[in-house]
Amino acid sequence: MKNTSTPQIPAPTAAPPMRPETPIGASPAPRRRKRSTLVLGVLVTLVGVLGTSMLVRSAGDRVDVLAVARDVPAGQQIKAEDLTTAALPEDPALQPVKASEKNSVIGRRATVPLHRGELLTTSQIHGGKTLPEGQELVAVEVQRGAAPSDALAPGDQVKVISTPGKDEAAPAAGSKSTPPSEIEAKVVKVGAPNASGAVVIQVAVAGTDSAQLAARAASGRVAIVLSAKG
């Protein structure tokens, strides 16, 4: 009698895991982010290059101008040591004197007080280096009502008269007291009134009278009288 053996059936093989389905038409997100980052980097580089180019161009357009190195009173001659140079970008709104004109400025007189650190402009200096022979320029500041400033013009002949101080009484009419001294002068420039109404008037006087007039002007006790025009 033969032994009959039952054949062994092999165990079923496990199916491979299914891949997750990718939606049709969806593009990979990492590739889109890389492209955006690349574009942003290019834009940032272009902005940096343009900014650097503008700075270099601006630096190249600078011009040397004159500036005030130390304070100069109005009416005083400008010396070489009173001036320095500064490099500024060209600007139509600014009209400082160029550094190349320094030699033509030295010896001219300041028409207004010059302060250290400010730019020098043509309006701050007298038009010529010299006055007529024997004449000197003096700046006289007169208070409100002490000069007919609205009627004054360059070339006018005036009289600069000493006025009494606060504690002094003006001489009475017809009295024999000494009349106030006066100095003949010619108007060179009339400044604009300041906040209190005072006006600086540049006058040319004889060299023998300039020191006396400057001393009077410093005290503020002066008035200007306009002589009759011919």
Side-chain angles (χ1 to χ4, degrees):
M1 187 170 179
K2 295 181 180 180
N3 291 333
T4 304
S5 61
T6 305
Q8 295 183 355
I9 302 173
T13 303
M18 297 181 65
R19 295 180 181 178
E21 295 183 358
T22 301
I24 299 175
S27 59
R31 181 178 298 176
R32 179 178 297 174
R33 287 197 295 269
K34 288 181 180 179
R35 183 177 300 173
S36 300
T37 303
L38 179 61
V39 172
L40 180 60
V42 172
L43 290 176
V44 171
T45 302
L46 287 176
V47 171
V49 171
L50 289 175
T52 303
S53 177
M54 292 179 65
L55 287 175
V56 172
R57 181 178 298 177
S58 176
D61 291 342
R62 290 177 175 269
V63 60
D64 290 336
V65 299
L66 291 179
V68 182
R70 61 182 185 180
D71 293 348
V72 179
Q76 181 171 304
Q77 282 191 334
I78 299 174
K79 301 178 181 179
E81 52 268 30
D82 297 331
L83 304 173
T84 185
T85 58
L88 297 177
E90 288 187 316
D91 188 342
L94 299 176
Q95 296 181 338
V97 179
K98 294 183 178 180
S100 59
E101 301 177 19
K102 181 177 180 179
N103 290 337
S104 66
V105 172
I106 296 174
R108 295 166 70 174
R109 297 179 183 271
T111 59
V112 295
L114 304 180
H115 303 288
R116 179 182 178 183
E118 67 181 9
L119 299 179
L120 184 69
T121 63
T122 53
S123 63
Q124 295 174 313
I125 52 180
H126 188 255
K129 277 191 174 184
T130 59
L131 294 171
E133 185 68 25
Q135 296 284 303
E136 294 188 357
L137 188 69
V138 179
V140 180
E141 183 179 46
V142 292
Q143 302 304 314
R144 184 196 299 271
S149 55
D150 292 341
L152 292 178
D156 286 344
Q157 292 291 336
V158 296
K159 296 177 181 178
V160 184
I161 300 175
S162 298
T163 58
K166 294 182 179 179
D167 299 329
E168 299 177 9
S175 65
K176 296 182 180 180
S177 59
T178 304
S181 58
E182 59 184 46
I183 295 176
E184 298 285 342
K186 178 184 286 187
V187 175
V188 174
K189 183 176 180 180
V190 180
N194 61 19
S196 63
V199 179
V200 175
I201 300 173
Q202 308 289 330
V203 295
V205 298
T208 54
D209 296 329
S210 59
Q212 182 182 3
L213 179 57
R216 293 183 190 177
S219 70
R221 297 167 51 185
V222 292
I224 291 182
V225 176
L226 177 62
S227 302
K229 297 181 180 181

